[in-house]
Amino acid sequence: MSFKTIEWTDEGVRMIDQRKLPAVEEYPVFKNYEEVATAIRAMVIRGAPAIGVAAAMGIALGVRDSKAKNLAELQGDFKLITDTLASTRPTAVNLFWAIDRMKRLFREIATDGAEQRTIAERLIKEALAIQTEDIESNKRIGKFGQSLLPDSGTILTHCNAGALATAGYGTALGVIRAAVENGKRLRVLADETRPFLQGARLTAWELWKDSIDVRVISDNMAGSFMRQGLIDAVIVGADRIAANGDVANKIGTYPVAVLAKQHEIPFYVAAPFSTLDLKMPDGSHIPIEERDPAEVTHIGGVRIVPDGVSVFNPAFDVTPHQFITAIITDRGVAQPPYAQSLMTLRNEGI
Ligand code: MRU
């Protein structure tokens, strides 16, 4: 990739500031775990897998810089660090998956009586492993998913499930990248994705940088394009997938899925196994983040909703599994019924 979404440095965690793209390509460094938490909350970094990597690096940073004088104090600091990072965004399960992985390692080495410096080194290594594994898993998703896409045609995507939303390469956009690398002639339509405009700003930016044919449409155009036969498949990412295959993803995904079913267009979801929450029986239990009303009332700092009028701003919706043609994971492609196929992939997948 010609840019790095997130990077560990000795000074702190460097991230591309996704709030400023595409106008400015800036890479600020977040110097402590509180700053990393603020960056996740403010969506400097966003996208389920990328949030997980950022949280893991934030934990490593917090432990490395802790002023604890003994193990008991370090354990207290560790709880504060992990609680702070866990409180940033509630829907993307990769965040909690990454935090749990760091917690398990911390418990294991702290019980062995290791010193703070050794613990911190191991945690940094683990965070870097999470980052590397995410890119590898994206590539596997791409390999499994690309065969589902036509040799030529137009693919609609919603939000940004690309390199910017992961450690690199992407899930939904990873499938598109892999298909293009395989010689398929694809054009991408990117929903602009109100209100944060991940499609217009981020998907368009990273595909354009990669010379992949991309055009932006506003969210309300998808139905009309489908009706005219101008869309051959839809592919999106996910923030959390329940055991029955219901998928939480960026607000606006559900209406696209309904439209796709109506027009008999395949609707694919691409996500690593770290996005699966098999303890959750169905999507009705998935917590949906409600974000700052200013994201809806304002565009580019200018108020577009009359002062005094309030708005709703749920950041995600849930697409029931009946609308999903297949779920492309890093362990293989799950077909309906998902309650069985996801379990099979969990137990027998690569
Ligand atoms: O609010 P965001 O931008 O973090 O939402 C991101 C999405 O909904 C993505 O589709 C999802 O996290 C998958 S990213 C590979």
Side-chain angles (χ1 to χ4, degrees), residues 43 46-49 89 159-161 165-166 171 198 237-239 249-250 316:
M43 292 172 65
R46 29 69 47 205
R89 299 198 68 193
C159 193
N160 171 267
T166 59
T171 55
Q198 288 93 332
D239 281 82
N249 192 49
K250 180 51 52 196
F316 301 96

PDB file of all heavy atoms in Angstrom, residues 43 46-49 89 159-161 165-166 171 198 237-239 249-250 316, ligand 1:
ATOM      1  N   MET A  43     -12.645   8.931  15.685  1.00  0.00           N
ATOM      2  CA  MET A  43     -12.560   8.334  14.347  1.00  0.00           C
ATOM      3  C   MET A  43     -11.405   8.867  13.508  1.00  0.00           C
ATOM      4  O   MET A  43     -11.501   8.966  12.291  1.00  0.00           O
ATOM      5  CB  MET A  43     -13.908   8.415  13.623  1.00  0.00           C
ATOM      6  CG  MET A  43     -14.931   7.504  14.288  1.00  0.00           C
ATOM      7  SD  MET A  43     -16.639   7.634  13.722  1.00  0.00           S
ATOM      8  CE  MET A  43     -16.554   7.084  12.044  1.00  0.00           C
ATOM      9  N   ARG A  46     -10.696   4.243  12.198  1.00  0.00           N
ATOM     10  CA  ARG A  46     -12.012   3.623  12.292  1.00  0.00           C
ATOM     11  C   ARG A  46     -11.995   2.389  11.409  1.00  0.00           C
ATOM     12  O   ARG A  46     -11.020   2.122  10.727  1.00  0.00           O
ATOM     13  CB  ARG A  46     -13.149   4.604  11.968  1.00  0.00           C
ATOM     14  CG  ARG A  46     -12.885   5.716  11.022  1.00  0.00           C
ATOM     15  CD  ARG A  46     -12.664   5.309   9.586  1.00  0.00           C
ATOM     16  NE  ARG A  46     -13.650   4.371   9.102  1.00  0.00           N
ATOM     17  CZ  ARG A  46     -13.472   3.515   8.125  1.00  0.00           C
ATOM     18  NH1 ARG A  46     -12.316   3.449   7.468  1.00  0.00           N
ATOM     19  NH2 ARG A  46     -14.409   2.688   7.743  1.00  0.00           N
ATOM     20  N   GLY A  47     -13.116   1.645  11.478  1.00  0.00           N
ATOM     21  CA  GLY A  47     -13.130   0.356  10.797  1.00  0.00           C
ATOM     22  C   GLY A  47     -12.777  -0.703  11.832  1.00  0.00           C
ATOM     23  O   GLY A  47     -11.778  -0.568  12.557  1.00  0.00           O
ATOM     24  N   ALA A  48     -13.605  -1.754  11.896  1.00  0.00           N
ATOM     25  CA  ALA A  48     -13.500  -2.700  13.011  1.00  0.00           C
ATOM     26  C   ALA A  48     -12.091  -3.280  13.227  1.00  0.00           C
ATOM     27  O   ALA A  48     -11.546  -3.178  14.337  1.00  0.00           O
ATOM     28  CB  ALA A  48     -14.546  -3.803  12.827  1.00  0.00           C
ATOM     29  N   PRO A  49     -11.452  -3.869  12.204  1.00  0.00           N
ATOM     30  CA  PRO A  49     -10.131  -4.451  12.475  1.00  0.00           C
ATOM     31  C   PRO A  49      -9.081  -3.403  12.848  1.00  0.00           C
ATOM     32  O   PRO A  49      -8.231  -3.643  13.715  1.00  0.00           O
ATOM     33  CB  PRO A  49      -9.771  -5.138  11.148  1.00  0.00           C
ATOM     34  CG  PRO A  49     -11.092  -5.367  10.467  1.00  0.00           C
ATOM     35  CD  PRO A  49     -11.929  -4.176  10.838  1.00  0.00           C
ATOM     36  N   ARG A  89     -15.729   2.592  21.529  1.00  0.00           N
ATOM     37  CA  ARG A  89     -16.778   2.362  20.520  1.00  0.00           C
ATOM     38  C   ARG A  89     -17.407   0.993  20.812  1.00  0.00           C
ATOM     39  O   ARG A  89     -16.705  -0.009  20.879  1.00  0.00           O
ATOM     40  CB  ARG A  89     -16.200   2.427  19.100  1.00  0.00           C
ATOM     41  CG  ARG A  89     -15.594   3.805  18.795  1.00  0.00           C
ATOM     42  CD  ARG A  89     -15.412   4.042  17.319  1.00  0.00           C
ATOM     43  NE  ARG A  89     -16.679   4.154  16.626  1.00  0.00           N
ATOM     44  CZ  ARG A  89     -16.792   4.113  15.298  1.00  0.00           C
ATOM     45  NH1 ARG A  89     -15.728   3.951  14.543  1.00  0.00           N
ATOM     46  NH2 ARG A  89     -17.980   4.224  14.717  1.00  0.00           N
ATOM     47  N   CYS A 159     -19.766   2.384   2.882  1.00  0.00           N
ATOM     48  CA  CYS A 159     -18.780   2.724   3.913  1.00  0.00           C
ATOM     49  C   CYS A 159     -17.367   2.476   3.379  1.00  0.00           C
ATOM     50  O   CYS A 159     -17.129   2.511   2.174  1.00  0.00           O
ATOM     51  CB  CYS A 159     -19.028   1.949   5.207  1.00  0.00           C
ATOM     52  SG  CYS A 159     -18.094   2.602   6.618  1.00  0.00           S
ATOM     53  N   ASN A 160     -16.427   2.234   4.265  1.00  0.00           N
ATOM     54  CA  ASN A 160     -15.065   1.897   3.857  1.00  0.00           C
ATOM     55  C   ASN A 160     -14.623   0.669   4.618  1.00  0.00           C
ATOM     56  O   ASN A 160     -14.487   0.707   5.847  1.00  0.00           O
ATOM     57  CB  ASN A 160     -14.080   3.043   4.107  1.00  0.00           C
ATOM     58  CG  ASN A 160     -12.637   2.578   3.874  1.00  0.00           C
ATOM     59  OD1 ASN A 160     -11.948   2.152   4.783  1.00  0.00           O
ATOM     60  ND2 ASN A 160     -12.189   2.617   2.631  1.00  0.00           N
ATOM     61  N   ALA A 161     -14.474  -0.426   3.898  1.00  0.00           N
ATOM     62  CA  ALA A 161     -13.945  -1.661   4.485  1.00  0.00           C
ATOM     63  C   ALA A 161     -12.684  -2.004   3.714  1.00  0.00           C
ATOM     64  O   ALA A 161     -12.526  -3.102   3.170  1.00  0.00           O
ATOM     65  CB  ALA A 161     -14.981  -2.769   4.410  1.00  0.00           C
ATOM     66  N   ALA A 165      -9.495   0.717   6.896  1.00  0.00           N
ATOM     67  CA  ALA A 165     -10.329   0.186   7.975  1.00  0.00           C
ATOM     68  C   ALA A 165      -9.712  -1.038   8.641  1.00  0.00           C
ATOM     69  O   ALA A 165     -10.294  -1.623   9.552  1.00  0.00           O
ATOM     70  CB  ALA A 165     -11.705  -0.185   7.413  1.00  0.00           C
ATOM     71  N   THR A 166      -8.532  -1.409   8.154  1.00  0.00           N
ATOM     72  CA  THR A 166      -7.856  -2.619   8.643  1.00  0.00           C
ATOM     73  C   THR A 166      -6.369  -2.277   8.833  1.00  0.00           C
ATOM     74  O   THR A 166      -5.976  -1.126   8.689  1.00  0.00           O
ATOM     75  CB  THR A 166      -7.980  -3.746   7.587  1.00  0.00           C
ATOM     76  OG1 THR A 166      -7.385  -3.271   6.362  1.00  0.00           O
ATOM     77  CG2 THR A 166      -9.433  -4.111   7.305  1.00  0.00           C
ATOM     78  N   THR A 171     -11.092  -5.728   3.784  1.00  0.00           N
ATOM     79  CA  THR A 171     -11.959  -6.916   3.744  1.00  0.00           C
ATOM     80  C   THR A 171     -12.794  -6.864   2.461  1.00  0.00           C
ATOM     81  O   THR A 171     -12.449  -7.512   1.482  1.00  0.00           O
ATOM     82  CB  THR A 171     -12.828  -6.986   5.010  1.00  0.00           C
ATOM     83  OG1 THR A 171     -13.564  -5.758   5.156  1.00  0.00           O
ATOM     84  CG2 THR A 171     -11.976  -7.203   6.246  1.00  0.00           C
ATOM     85  N   GLN A 198     -17.586   8.018   4.761  1.00  0.00           N
ATOM     86  CA  GLN A 198     -16.458   7.081   4.577  1.00  0.00           C
ATOM     87  C   GLN A 198     -16.323   6.644   3.122  1.00  0.00           C
ATOM     88  O   GLN A 198     -15.220   6.373   2.648  1.00  0.00           O
ATOM     89  CB  GLN A 198     -16.660   5.822   5.450  1.00  0.00           C
ATOM     90  CG  GLN A 198     -16.485   6.022   6.928  1.00  0.00           C
ATOM     91  CD  GLN A 198     -17.800   6.323   7.621  1.00  0.00           C
ATOM     92  OE1 GLN A 198     -18.712   6.878   7.026  1.00  0.00           O
ATOM     93  NE2 GLN A 198     -17.892   5.988   8.892  1.00  0.00           N
ATOM     94  N   GLY A 237     -18.288  -4.668   4.460  1.00  0.00           N
ATOM     95  CA  GLY A 237     -17.604  -5.239   5.613  1.00  0.00           C
ATOM     96  C   GLY A 237     -18.598  -5.468   6.743  1.00  0.00           C
ATOM     97  O   GLY A 237     -19.816  -5.425   6.535  1.00  0.00           O
ATOM     98  N   ALA A 238     -18.081  -5.688   7.943  1.00  0.00           N
ATOM     99  CA  ALA A 238     -18.961  -5.916   9.096  1.00  0.00           C
ATOM    100  C   ALA A 238     -18.274  -5.454  10.368  1.00  0.00           C
ATOM    101  O   ALA A 238     -17.040  -5.484  10.466  1.00  0.00           O
ATOM    102  CB  ALA A 238     -19.304  -7.401   9.222  1.00  0.00           C
ATOM    103  N   ASP A 239     -19.076  -5.025  11.321  1.00  0.00           N
ATOM    104  CA  ASP A 239     -18.562  -4.656  12.640  1.00  0.00           C
ATOM    105  C   ASP A 239     -18.783  -5.759  13.665  1.00  0.00           C
ATOM    106  O   ASP A 239     -18.064  -5.851  14.658  1.00  0.00           O
ATOM    107  CB  ASP A 239     -19.196  -3.362  13.122  1.00  0.00           C
ATOM    108  CG  ASP A 239     -18.526  -2.191  12.439  1.00  0.00           C
ATOM    109  OD1 ASP A 239     -18.896  -1.893  11.292  1.00  0.00           O
ATOM    110  OD2 ASP A 239     -17.583  -1.628  13.032  1.00  0.00           O
ATOM    111  N   ASN A 249     -23.327  -3.464  10.511  1.00  0.00           N
ATOM    112  CA  ASN A 249     -22.346  -2.713   9.716  1.00  0.00           C
ATOM    113  C   ASN A 249     -22.827  -1.271   9.643  1.00  0.00           C
ATOM    114  O   ASN A 249     -23.896  -0.914  10.185  1.00  0.00           O
ATOM    115  CB  ASN A 249     -22.186  -3.337   8.324  1.00  0.00           C
ATOM    116  CG  ASN A 249     -20.984  -2.771   7.571  1.00  0.00           C
ATOM    117  OD1 ASN A 249     -19.882  -2.694   8.112  1.00  0.00           O
ATOM    118  ND2 ASN A 249     -21.185  -2.340   6.345  1.00  0.00           N
ATOM    119  N   LYS A 250     -22.062  -0.438   8.975  1.00  0.00           N
ATOM    120  CA  LYS A 250     -22.354   0.997   8.870  1.00  0.00           C
ATOM    121  C   LYS A 250     -23.817   1.264   8.534  1.00  0.00           C
ATOM    122  O   LYS A 250     -24.391   0.595   7.673  1.00  0.00           O
ATOM    123  CB  LYS A 250     -21.430   1.589   7.801  1.00  0.00           C
ATOM    124  CG  LYS A 250     -21.566   3.064   7.531  1.00  0.00           C
ATOM    125  CD  LYS A 250     -21.511   3.913   8.766  1.00  0.00           C
ATOM    126  CE  LYS A 250     -20.311   3.664   9.654  1.00  0.00           C
ATOM    127  NZ  LYS A 250     -20.473   4.239  11.030  1.00  0.00           N
ATOM    128  N   PHE A 316     -24.665   2.432  13.183  1.00  0.00           N
ATOM    129  CA  PHE A 316     -24.714   1.112  12.528  1.00  0.00           C
ATOM    130  C   PHE A 316     -26.149   0.635  12.400  1.00  0.00           C
ATOM    131  O   PHE A 316     -27.026   1.099  13.128  1.00  0.00           O
ATOM    132  CB  PHE A 316     -23.897   0.088  13.341  1.00  0.00           C
ATOM    133  CG  PHE A 316     -22.459   0.504  13.496  1.00  0.00           C
ATOM    134  CD1 PHE A 316     -22.025   1.173  14.638  1.00  0.00           C
ATOM    135  CD2 PHE A 316     -21.544   0.266  12.488  1.00  0.00           C
ATOM    136  CE1 PHE A 316     -20.716   1.609  14.760  1.00  0.00           C
ATOM    137  CE2 PHE A 316     -20.228   0.694  12.604  1.00  0.00           C
ATOM    138  CZ  PHE A 316     -19.812   1.359  13.734  1.00  0.00           C
TER     139      PHE A 316
HETATM  140  O1  MRU B   1     -17.911   3.936  11.922  1.00  0.00           O
HETATM  141  P1  MRU B   1     -16.850   3.205  11.157  1.00  0.00           P
HETATM  142  O2  MRU B   1     -16.280   3.999  10.037  1.00  0.00           O
HETATM  143  O3  MRU B   1     -15.806   2.635  12.071  1.00  0.00           O
HETATM  144  O4  MRU B   1     -17.615   1.983  10.502  1.00  0.00           O
HETATM  145  C1  MRU B   1     -16.880   1.098   9.711  1.00  0.00           C
HETATM  146  C2  MRU B   1     -17.717   0.058   9.078  1.00  0.00           C
HETATM  147  O5  MRU B   1     -18.912   0.005   9.244  1.00  0.00           O
HETATM  148  C3  MRU B   1     -16.971  -0.987   8.290  1.00  0.00           C
HETATM  149  O6  MRU B   1     -17.757  -1.461   7.236  1.00  0.00           O
HETATM  150  C4  MRU B   1     -16.603  -2.168   9.201  1.00  0.00           C
HETATM  151  O7  MRU B   1     -15.993  -1.714  10.364  1.00  0.00           O
HETATM  152  C5  MRU B   1     -15.727  -3.117   8.525  1.00  0.00           C
HETATM  153  S1  MRU B   1     -14.130  -2.493   8.226  1.00  0.00           S
HETATM  154  C6  MRU B   1     -13.201  -3.693   7.520  1.00  0.00           C
END
